[in-house]
Amino acid sequence: MISQFFVLSQRGDNIVFRDYRGEVAKGSAEIFFRKVKFWKEDGQEEAPPVFNVDGVSYFHVKVVGLLFVATTRVNVSPSLVLELLQRIARVIKDYLGVLSEDSLRKNFVLVYELLDEVIDFGYMQTTSTEVLKSYIFNEPIVVDAARLQPLGPAAIFMQGTKRMPGTAITKSVVANEPGGRKREEIFVDIIEKISVTFSSSGYILTSEIDGTIQMKSYLTGNPEIRLALNEDLSIGRGGESANDYRSSYGSGAVILDDCNFHESVRLDSFDMDRTLALVPPDGEFPVMNYRMTQEFKPPFHINCLIEEAGHLKAEVILKVRAEFPSNITANTVVLEMPLPKYTTRASFELEPGVTGQRTDFKGANKKLEWDLEKFVGGVEHTLRAKLTFSQELHGEILADSKEI
Amino acid sequence: MAPPAQSQRSPSPSQPSGKSEVSDLKLQLRQLAGSRAPGVDDSKRELFKKVISYMTIGIDVSSLFGEMVMCSATSDIVLKKMCYLYVGNYAKVNPDLALLTINFLQRDCRDEDPMIRGLALRSLCSLRVANLVEYLVGPLGSGLKDGNSYVRMVAVMGVLKLYHISASTCIDADFPSILKHLMLHDSDTQVVANCLSALQEIWSAEASTSEEASREREALISKPVIYYLLNRIKEFSEWAQCLVLELVTKYVPSDSSEIFDIMNLLEDRLQHANGAVVLATIRVFLQLTLSMTDVHQQVYERIKAPLLTLVSSGSPEQSYAVLSHLHLLVMRAPYVFSSDYKHFYCQYNEPSYVKRLKLEMLTAVANESNTYEIVTELCEYAANVDIPIARESIRAVGKIALQQYDVNAIVDRLLQFLEMEKDYVTAEALVLVKDLLRKYPQWSHDCIAVVGNISSKNVQEPKAKAALIWMLGEYSQDMQDAPYVLESLVENWDEEHSAEVRLHLLTAVMRCFFKRPPETQSALGAALAAGIADFHQDVHDRALFYYRILRYNVSVAERVVNPPKQAVSVFADTQSSEIKDRIFDEFNSLSVLYQKPSYMFTDKEHRVPLEFADELGNLSIGEAANNVVPTQMVEENDKDLLLTTSEKEETKGSRNNGSAYTVPYDGSSTSVFASQAQIESAVSNPTLAGHSPQASFAIDDLLGLGIPATPAVPSPPQLKLNTKAALDPSTFQQKWRQLPVALSQEISVNPQGVAALTAPQALLRHMQSHSIHCIASGGQSPNFKFFFFAQKFEESSNYLVECVINTSSAKAQVKIKADDQNTSQDFSTLFESALSKFGTS
């Protein structure tokens, strides 16, 4: 049960504000924003997603730079509210096509309409785009997606979330095509987050894959869809311990540690032939989330060498090798490396004669970025970066890289 | 609702001040109101949109009320919706104007289109104007009977809104019983869910004044209702599922087969993609199996994988919520997660609130087998660019060091931190080395060698400086230049801003003086002089005290300042186990995130709906055996709980013992008993099972007030114990002090008993059935400590028992004191036989 819901812009402006129960004072948005903005005096830490000020609990999630906030006075389930906020953001995105401050402001009447149906007197009613469709009458005003800065694939990981800005699909689920004819389309994305830690000697310390099968359906008539997964898939390890002997390694079997499914998925034949049957609801939703820690060959191998080149200078040599066969090409590979806070300048030196590579030093969050547009399998690339510091260097760690 | 009338707010330059715009709008609206020209709806839409956008940014547009209402006579549903939004926003501040809208809203409630009927009804109920309630009853009544589920859904919430505006109108119209009927018979699950929410809220609020309401509320968690809802759970929306699951946690099954049925039914909910459903299910599982130790363990194993998936699959905000719950579970069962420690490694791009929790998890799961890996990982973080996290990681390393037996490697690591020459790393490490030395004085040589190399000038943070000074004083005999370092610190007395540091400095100089008098004498003089002149009261007092005691007798002073010290075995736990239990009872709620029970952060009136557990605990305090619980007692219970907490802290202090004792009659642990007792009573009284909880009589027995829980007590003939013995804690303490030890012996505990003794509560219940009552218990595996008492049948002769059970050696040390010394041997036999049966039954 929640009391209020509001959306704030990065500057703290109210974009949408809805009070459901009138239990929390009106100034809550301001209180909230001040608290979040100045969480710790040094500004080095982010406010946790849930906190309590004077008996009012504030929940917030950040989606594309907007703050979706709910307040309550009762002791509710935190994951329930956080999940709800996330879901509201997704429903709004389903309707507007693009979720941004601009599109919200243009469509706020529609958003209010949605909010009225999603929550009544603080109780969740429905968040299914499908059901909501029959209650909603405002037409979305489509914001031109092209004008928006495309979110690079790396942006997803900077926010630490796996929710993709559905690659090419930024059109509204409900809006009709200008031509009047609706296209029967369904998009299925498989997004995997691979986390690998290498030791300085190149040995793999930890490896983990978090994946999700994401679907966005524009189909009319809600037909049933079958999704066949790898037949050698098995879930859960036989033994409980993480260190048990993995006999199946190399045999091609895929062992998921655990997975969960969207509520529309029926698992009747999953045990037999690994097929998921589902009637996809409208809008974007995760069909299945999974997690595995089985050993695998990481797609990239990264090597990093740091040399101190004088008092306030250092040279970083980054080497990355694609471990996949040469007939596969990876697109838009981004390597990021956090640098010490006191890095003031960085100059880069790419291999002579390469094209389609960009390097950047992000002064604001002290990050080195290296974009490789095309990455052919089996090839190795090197980047030399000269860093200048305002303080003495004490050594640093290399974080993992990401690939889409 | 958008922020309404904020005309007093100073107009910011970026926003239009609104005055002229509003009057402009007023004119235009007036023109359109009567017009029937084609396309007029479109221009109306534009105007309405403008009005609402002004409303959102905080401009007062309430002056348009009349015009808006006039324009609302339209068949365009979009226009209607905007108008409802506007009306809902301003009706409360303009009750007179709101009356204008009643007419058209009532008319819309009878519209042909169910959407309009629903919307109008919702707006009508959202007006929140008390003098208009009479107009609500009729439309609500027909709304509840409407053929369209959307209208019914809205009407149910409308009843709840009406209740909040005027409770008496709602009750008089008999709406709750209509809702109850709907809840059990409606075909639409959302209607059912809304009925459930509304009824829970209404009856919880009514329960304090009406017996019937509290009976009705109990009926919500009765077997038929719960089964009805559970059987349909898959039809409910995910949010409604959470609601049902929450209700199920309050249900007390009558036997174990019922528990397994429920768990099997809900098993697949653990694979739901919605974390809220999964957590709610987990809560049900944990609550159901509280009394079944081995199944409870299986539950931990079962929920592990889904939880870890949730952590990695959601947004960072969701992982935060899930991780907090994982943390709670890890604290209760570290071994379950000890092999999954790698999941809690931080990733560089995670927000700091997630990292922080993960660090805590790593500390909690560390054990002999994984300490090395964990500490290695943590040491990596110490060099992190994120300074607060680096600090946390060092603290985490220290915590692990303090809880492990084998600390060699960790000490080396900590000492390496000292040499890293980053001021914050050094500072944190110093504080840790100090704590470490207090626990493991045997490491002093290694540590002191490194600490001696640290220049006090490089240490600026008060805590770290204080730690360094403490070490200088404590180990001045081993550190060559200790007196001189202290001397230079004393010279800079005035520049030292922290009173804590100055206090430590005084003590350190004193200690150093007794170890190396000639070298320290001058520094001591200077320190005392500066201390006495200090403006800070504590520093001043301590300096004066040292000065006087030195004058009085130097050897006494030495005994005071440099007494032989014992290593600290356990550092005081910041949170009592009682509070932890209470948080666990509130699993899947904010309590877990704040690490506080809900009574600490919610207002009383907002507490009622969720907390049935309170009342179960409360029953034990209520004297009469009734099952109607006035809610005002919840509050008393809370006070009581606070009381027992503080009391407990006192006993902890006076016994000078690190382990926490739980006095069994507090809210949280009794609720556990209560559910146990209910299960027992339900078995013996099948007629009562499934009806409202009949915990009271069993609970009374727990306090020795009522009738026995188990009628046939298997007691040997030679000594009969009173099944309803009563003794209050203070009398117990008094007697314990006065009486001599009558018998002291070692009893071996059978293996089953050891296995069952995972928590003190298990034994308490067992001994209870043998008429031996527990007054306090505490400890953690492998050592548990209990204080029991028993009374002779029909005599007020007491037996007091102190029983320390070590599960690893399977031995119990028992000390018995008795009013009547002659029968103590008999009682001892009885006690032994009772203890030996533990775990076998």
Side-chain angles (χ1 to χ4, degrees), chain B residues 44 70 176 273 415 437 464 485 533 551 631 669 672 705 792 800:
Chain B
K44 272 190 192 168
M70 273 198 278
L415 296 179
L437 285 178
V485 176
R551 281 188 49 173
T631 25
S669 52
V672 177
L705 297 170
K792 215 179 196 179
L800 312 182

Side-chain angles (χ1 to χ4, degrees), chain B residues 337-639:
Chain B
F337 296 91
S338 57
S339 55
D340 300 288
Y341 61 92
K342 281 189 179 172
H343 287 288
F344 308 131
Y345 282 1
C346 299
Q347 281 164 25
Y348 82 104
N349 53 2
E350 283 168 335
S352 47
Y353 49 80
V354 171
K355 284 187 189 165
R356 205 172 277 267
L357 267 177
K358 284 193 167 176
L359 288 177
E360 278 180 40
M361 303 283 275
L362 285 175
T363 342
V365 296
N367 62 16
E368 271 93 9
S369 58
N370 58 21
T371 298
Y372 183 78
E373 276 87 9
I374 290 179
V375 171
T376 312
E377 179 76 13
L378 287 173
C379 290
E380 291 292 321
Y381 302 154
N384 203 319
V385 281
D386 187 352
I387 292 174
I389 292 302
R391 282 170 179 273
E392 286 287 329
S393 339
I394 299 168
R395 260 174 248 158
V397 173
K399 270 190 217 149
I400 295 177
L402 290 179
Q403 75 197 24
Q404 292 303 315
Y405 303 100
D406 173 37
V407 284
N408 299 11
I410 305 179
V411 171
D412 285 346
R413 293 262 175 60
L414 277 178
L415 296 179
Q416 278 169 20
F417 287 150
L418 287 178
E419 289 161 349
M420 262 171 76
E421 290 183 2
K422 276 190 188 175
D423 44 1
Y424 60 89
V425 176
T426 316
E428 290 295 339
L430 271 176
V431 177
L432 287 177
V433 169
K434 180 201 73 180
D435 287 342
L436 212 60
L437 285 178
R438 286 172 64 198
K439 184 163 181 183
Y440 310 106
Q442 68 270 29
W443 289 100
S444 62
H445 272 284
D446 305 68
C447 297
I448 290 312
V450 183
V451 171
N453 293 332
I454 296 172
S455 158
S456 60
K457 290 186 188 64
N458 292 346
V459 183
Q460 287 309 324
E461 286 172 41
K463 272 208 156 19
K465 210 163 181 178
L468 179 65
I469 292 172
W470 181 85
M471 284 187 272
L472 283 169
E474 189 70 30
Y475 298 99
S476 44
Q477 73 278 17
D478 304 323
M479 286 157 108
Q480 268 303 310
D481 52 353
Y484 309 106
V485 176
L486 288 172
E487 193 167 358
S488 71
L489 284 166
V490 171
E491 275 165 23
N492 295 325
W493 185 276
D494 292 334
E495 287 153 39
E496 190 48 68
H497 299 294
S498 156
E500 187 193 357
V501 175
R502 295 202 299 272
L503 280 171
H504 273 276
L505 190 53
L506 270 177
T507 312
V509 176
M510 277 290 276
R511 285 191 181 146
C512 190
F513 172 73
F514 289 113
K515 284 168 184 157
R516 298 161 74 173
E519 291 160 285
T520 326
Q521 200 166 12
S522 65
L524 179 64
L528 288 178
I532 290 168
D534 201 284
F535 62 91
H536 193 275
Q537 195 63 47
D538 290 349
V539 180
H540 171 81
D541 287 357
R542 191 180 287 187
L544 211 58
F545 166 70
Y546 284 156
Y547 173 69
R548 289 187 178 142
I549 202 168
L550 279 170
R551 281 188 49 173
Y552 169 69
N553 187 335
V554 178
S555 62
V556 171
E558 179 164 14
R559 276 211 307 273
V560 169
V561 180
N562 266 352
K565 279 195 196 59
Q566 275 183 340
V568 184
S569 58
V570 183
F571 283 91
D573 203 344
T574 44
Q575 229 171 9
S576 69
S577 61
E578 192 174 329
I579 290 201
K580 283 181 191 153
D581 280 348
R582 211 176 154 91
I583 295 174
F584 183 72
D585 286 340
E586 293 173 348
F587 191 85
N588 192 24
S589 75
L590 288 169
S591 317
V592 180
L593 267 69
Y594 299 149
Q595 304 193 347
K596 282 178 195 163
S598 59
Y599 68 85
M600 289 185 176
F601 62 87
T602 49
D603 311 330
K604 243 160 272 136
E605 70 264 32
H606 296 295
R607 220 177 288 159
V608 195
L610 272 173
E611 284 144 50
F612 282 63
D614 268 345
E615 286 140 48
L616 287 175
N618 194 30
L619 275 170
S620 64
I621 293 164
E623 279 170 334
N626 58 350
N627 52 5
V628 182
V629 189
T631 25
Q632 61 262 36
M633 290 193 72
V634 176
E635 186 194 329
E636 279 168 35
N637 187 34
D638 278 344
K639 282 193 201 123

Side-chain angles (χ1 to χ4, degrees), chain B residues 654-673:
Chain B
S654 66
R655 290 210 181 93
N656 204 6
N657 189 327
S659 65
Y661 291 84
T662 46
V663 183
Y665 61 83
D666 68 83
S668 58
S669 52
T670 325
S671 67
V672 177
F673 290 172

